[in-house]
Amino acid sequence: MPYFYIITAPDRELQLAQAELSVMAGGSIEGRAGWSNVAVDISHAAYVNLCVRQIACAGSLEELCAAIACQGLRADGFAVRVVRQASNVSETTPRLCKQVADAIVGSPNLDAPRVEFCLLIRGTGLWFGRIVSRSLRTWQSAPRLPHQYSCALEPRFARALVNLVAAAGDKLLDMCCGIGTVVRQALIAGVDAYGWEVNERIAQKAAANLAAMGYNNRIIVTDARKSAGRFDAVVADLPYGLTSCVETGFYGQMLEAAGRLAPRAVVVAGRNIQQLAEKLGYRVIVSAQVPKTRLTRHVYLLAAG
Ligand SMILES: C[S@@+](CC[C@H](N)C(=O)[O-])C[C@H]1O[C@@H](n2cnc3c(N)ncnc32)[C@H](O)[C@@H]1O
């Protein structure tokens, strides 16, 4: 595969990170690396950190340097970034960089590189290539908000949900928007996002949070199960711990509403709802579990029909 990708994620969010990479670039994924036939713009990615055009791969550092030298690779003002995902190569990072740099024709410039290479070290081998896209970590760019909420998603998690289901220019609805975390993350990524929230007080906080970032109000107070509209995609971070609601069919009603509103949905639930989603006619494209203290969030990318 001509491109490899590197994930940066804590263990508990690794499945979500792998889901993000799978949806963005496809291909095969092992741990915190993936290989794909396509290069994609990952500037707004939450967990996918680097997209690298592969130049060489080998079982040892010596073989890798020989393969690079063999290609007569030229670059002026370059830097080599080392990503270690295994401890099987004992050389220090500066020594590794020096050995790889010696195989490249041209001069390094570590302070202001014009070309950046990546050396990926894994238990199964070493990969080397040129970085063609990187996450700009724009999920971090939201300022501290006037209103917080104990149920709110972490900004990075919310950005990953957006990336699972929408691209820049898509019209996205967060059916249960809380204080607007997903809507904000979507807007930063260039998605035309809107929020619905049944609780008027919380909806007001979402509107104030958007206003604090200079966005106009895109929040409507409504019960998502009873409202109509048409969107490219929906996100539904469903209430957790509402056992009585779950028992009385709340999750099913929300899934049915999602199917009326958009052809694809990302749903977050406090329990496994795969069977329920399939019974309602959805295909599960990817799923991930994200543990959080005493709760596990179950994330599903669903396609209608
Ligand atoms: C888990 S919280 C969502 C938190 C949100 N993702 C955030 O980051 O702020 C679930 C939200 O769904 C809302 N909700 C519950 N039932 C709803 C319904 N029928 N229609 C719309 N919103 C609903 C709740 O008021 C709550 O704010």
Side-chain angles (χ1 to χ4, degrees):
M1 299 256 189
Y3 298 94
F4 64 89
Y5 289 82
I6 292 168
I7 287 170
T8 307
D11 286 347
R12 66 181 181 284
E13 285 157 44
L14 183 56
Q15 286 190 14
L16 182 59
Q18 291 172 331
E20 183 187 49
L21 176 54
S22 162
V23 168
M24 287 182 120
S28 62
I29 300 170
E30 276 174 36
R32 288 178 168 79
W35 291 264
S36 170
N37 281 321
V38 293
V40 292
D41 174 7
I42 56 160
S43 52
H44 287 302
Y47 300 103
V48 184
N49 194 33
L50 294 175
C51 167
V52 185
R53 183 167 51 74
Q54 186 172 311
I55 293 169
C57 71
S60 71
L61 184 61
E62 294 67 33
E63 285 169 19
L64 187 82
C65 291
I68 296 167
C70 218
Q71 297 187 32
L73 180 63
R74 289 177 172 274
D76 269 319
F78 68 85
V80 178
R81 178 168 170 190
V82 177
V83 177
R84 290 177 194 263
Q85 294 186 346
S87 51
N88 51 331
V89 174
S90 57
E91 277 91 341
T92 62
T93 298
R95 282 177 66 89
L96 281 172
C97 290
K98 167 88 174 66
Q99 287 189 54
V100 172
D102 286 348
I104 301 170
V105 181
S107 53
N109 181 346
L110 303 188
D111 295 329
R114 288 202 294 277
V115 179
E116 283 189 277
F117 295 110
C118 173
L119 169 61
L120 170 63
I121 301 170
R122 291 176 55 78
T124 46
L126 296 92
W127 283 260
F128 175 79
R130 180 174 176 163
I131 297 172
V132 293
S133 182
R134 62 170 68 236
S135 169
L136 302 179
R137 300 173 81 85
T138 55
W139 51 272
Q140 282 181 322
S141 63
R144 180 152 176 83
L145 296 166
H147 299 285
Q148 306 292 328
Y149 182 22
S150 60
C151 298
L153 293 170
E154 303 79 5
R156 192 180 196 184
F157 191 121
R159 173 63 61 81
L161 298 186
V162 172
N163 289 340
L164 286 182
V165 80
D170 282 350
K171 190 176 175 193
L172 177 74
L173 172 70
D174 183 350
M175 295 169 64
C176 304
C177 74
I179 58 163
T181 320
V182 170
V183 177
R184 283 195 320 270
Q185 287 298 327
L187 290 169
I188 294 168
V191 175
D192 183 24
Y194 300 83
W196 289 353
E197 168 57 55
V198 76
N199 182 314
E200 188 171 358
R201 195 176 46 83
I202 298 171
Q204 281 168 359
K205 291 182 178 181
N209 282 340
L210 288 185
M213 288 181 63
Y215 294 115
N216 59 1
N217 191 13
R218 295 159 163 265
I219 308 298
I220 295 175
V221 181
T222 188
D223 184 332
R225 293 170 295 179
K226 298 176 184 159
S227 302
R230 198 62 194 160
F231 299 85
D232 295 311
V234 295
V235 170
D237 177 24
L238 298 171
Y240 322 113
L242 292 181
T243 327
S244 55
C245 289
V246 176
E247 280 166 1
T248 53
F250 177 82
Y251 277 6
Q253 291 162 10
M254 291 301 272
L255 286 177
E256 281 173 343
R260 290 193 296 272
L261 293 163
R264 55 185 194 273
V266 161
V267 177
V268 185
R271 64 175 173 85
N272 186 329
I273 57 162
Q274 175 148 355
Q275 274 192 349
L276 175 63
E278 286 170 348
K279 198 170 133 199
L280 293 170
Y282 283 105
R283 274 182 302 118
V284 177
I285 309 297
V286 290
S287 65
Q289 291 186 22
V290 185
K292 188 196 177 205
T293 51
R294 278 174 297 167
L295 176 88
T296 294
R297 286 164 167 160
H298 297 254
V299 180
Y300 302 90
L301 171 59
L302 304 176

